[in-house]
Amino acid sequence: MSRQAGRGTESKKMNSELFTLTYGALVTQLCKDYENDEDVNKQLDKMGYNIGVRLIEDFLARSNVGRCHDFRETADVIAKIAFKMYLGITPSITNWSPGGDEFSLILENNPLVDFVELPDNHSSLIYSNLLCGVLRGALEMVQMAVDVKFVQDTLKGDSVTEIRMKFIRRIEDNLPAGEE
Amino acid sequence: MAVCIAVIAKENYPLYIRSVPTENELKFHYTVHTSLDVVDEKISAMGKAMVDQRELYLGLLYPTEDYKVYGYVTNSKVKFVMVVDSSNTALRDNEIRSMFRKLHNSYTDIMCNPFYNPGDRIHSRAFDNMVNSMMMQVC
């Protein structure tokens, strides 16, 4: 790894097939280990959460983004910088709720599912649920409690993949001493 | 275009076989089965030295009265066999070649599906659609 060579927002190249297959192997192994899909979804979310709480540090160090002033700004940073940096895609942000506390990320193509076809006996599996966990974990570290879930998925026959994010509250007590 | 398309595993058992007039299925199974001998013959005829640089496309395996049988072998010894109506003279070698390449790409995608266990029969909507499109073109 060229970590010392300086961090930047530019991403290192990685073979996408290897990445997709690695994630696929992870999910199928979970499917073997757990009897029902609900447990697999939960486990993926948990793993994602653990990735998220670590990844946010890397993200903040590399991207130099400051504190976001509202949820819209957060949405922009997630879609335009974070997704670009780690997955090489830029989802579009739509469907804002009138209160401005809920929005959708539309993924035209999801690199995690490139070759995947869900078998019939896994109809309730949320294949990319790891992403939800990552987003939840990362935002929790910056004092935002959010609810993240898939509402559309190309694997289930929808034309796009849609991740719905809902802002719940600011986590005040985690503020380190000395900050506002 | 094609009337029967089959994918045969390295160990010579079928992974996928599909033919258009479904009532004659058994006949096509038989045709494909016989063609495997020709495939083996062709590969061994090429000799050891050629194996490294040989072409995957084997060309016409044999013609019968009504059909022509074409073959294609990947480097992992998976065989694709395609039976084409011989009345269809418009079909050129190049087109057959590109159809096989499409089939090969599609097969690669299936192998990359994490829910597919290598060696199982192929049950895939994407593959079905691709095969259908190749069979529909002319028929």
Side-chain angles (χ1 to χ4, degrees):
Chain A
M1 294 294 263
S2 56
R3 271 293 166 83
Q4 305 89 326
R7 294 151 186 259
T9 46
E10 80 286 346
S11 49
K12 296 170 201 97
K13 289 233 164 22
M14 173 186 179
N15 181 286
S16 75
E17 279 83 8
L18 178 63
F19 172 68
T20 311
L21 287 176
T22 309
Y23 185 70
L26 171 85
V27 177
T28 43
Q29 188 58 45
L30 282 177
C31 287
K32 276 182 207 138
D33 293 350
Y34 292 88
E35 289 288 300
N36 71 56
D37 292 349
E38 302 304 323
D39 291 343
V40 177
N41 296 343
K42 229 177 278 167
Q43 198 61 31
L44 281 174
D45 185 77
K46 207 156 102 194
M47 292 161 89
Y49 176 85
N50 288 328
I51 294 175
V53 298
R54 293 166 170 80
L55 203 61
I56 187 71
E57 292 299 341
D58 179 67
F59 174 72
L60 293 174
R62 287 214 275 160
S63 65
N64 289 322
V65 292
R67 184 166 282 273
C68 295
H69 298 291
D70 59 6
F71 201 43
R72 281 173 191 272
E73 208 181 322
T74 313
D76 265 351
V77 170
I78 291 172
K80 303 216 174 85
I81 306 178
F83 267 85
K84 180 95 197 113
M85 199 153 120
Y86 293 112
L87 287 177
I89 52 171
T90 313
S92 49
I93 306 164
T94 50
N95 293 339
W96 276 100
S97 65
D101 64 341
E102 216 179 311
F103 68 93
S104 292
L105 288 168
I106 305 282
L107 283 70
E108 299 278 332
N109 61 349
N110 178 355
L112 292 179
V113 303
D114 269 350
F115 308 105
V116 181
E117 273 185 75
L118 276 190
D120 297 332
N121 56 342
H122 285 298
S123 52
S124 56
L125 175 70
I126 310 170
Y127 187 82
S128 316
N129 210 26
L130 190 95
L131 290 183
C132 293
V134 173
L135 289 167
R136 191 166 60 84
L139 289 180
E140 191 177 300
M141 286 294 118
V142 288
Q143 285 87 46
M144 267 186 271
V146 288
D147 182 53
V148 191
K149 59 175 185 290
F150 275 90
V151 288
Q152 287 192 79
D153 195 339
T154 42
L155 286 182
K156 305 214 165 123
D158 301 311
S159 55
V160 288
T161 301
E162 177 178 354
I163 301 175
R164 191 80 181 148
M165 294 190 62
K166 186 180 194 309
F167 178 78
I168 303 172
R169 63 189 166 82
R170 284 187 63 108
I171 307 169
E172 299 290 353
D173 43 359
N174 275 7
L175 271 182
E179 258 187 77
E180 356 160 26
Chain B
M1 216 162 204
V3 288
C4 175
I5 289 177
V7 180
I8 317 287
K10 188 170 104 192
E11 296 85 1
N12 284 342
Y13 62 90
L15 292 174
Y16 185 92
I17 180 159
R18 195 178 160 88
S19 48
V20 160
T22 35
E23 67 272 19
N24 263 339
E25 221 173 22
L26 199 62
K27 190 178 83 189
F28 286 117
H29 284 219
Y30 176 72
T31 313
V32 171
H33 187 99
T34 352
S35 71
L36 290 180
D37 282 339
V38 189
V39 170
D40 272 350
E41 222 169 80
K42 286 221 179 208
I43 296 175
S44 53
M46 272 189 272
K48 279 274 185 304
M50 287 290 287
V51 167
D52 300 335
Q53 55 217 318
R54 76 182 174 81
E55 226 194 322
L56 305 176
Y57 177 57
L58 295 178
L60 181 66
L61 296 179
Y62 68 91
T64 66
E65 260 172 58
D66 308 320
Y67 304 107
K68 284 180 186 154
V69 187
Y70 293 89
Y72 184 99
V73 182
T74 70
N75 285 325
S76 52
K77 300 281 182 293
V78 174
K79 297 143 189 106
F80 301 114
V81 175
M82 189 151 58
V83 184
V84 181
D85 209 318
S86 35
S87 62
N88 188 347
T89 47
L91 214 54
R92 284 207 210 94
D93 213 42
N94 258 346
E95 291 166 58
I96 301 274
R97 207 181 282 256
S98 77
M99 279 162 78
F100 271 125
R101 205 162 299 134
K102 244 167 77 183
L103 203 63
H104 193 174
N105 287 341
S106 203
Y107 174 75
T108 315
D109 284 354
I110 288 174
M111 286 301 285
C112 288
N113 178 1
F115 288 102
Y116 173 76
N117 299 317
D120 284 1
R121 280 201 79 111
I122 295 169
H123 297 284
S124 154
R125 257 157 287 145
F127 197 73
D128 277 343
N129 292 341
M130 200 274 314
V131 168
N132 275 347
S133 77
M134 289 214 288
M135 289 178 155
M136 284 318 210
Q137 273 166 11
V138 167
C139 312

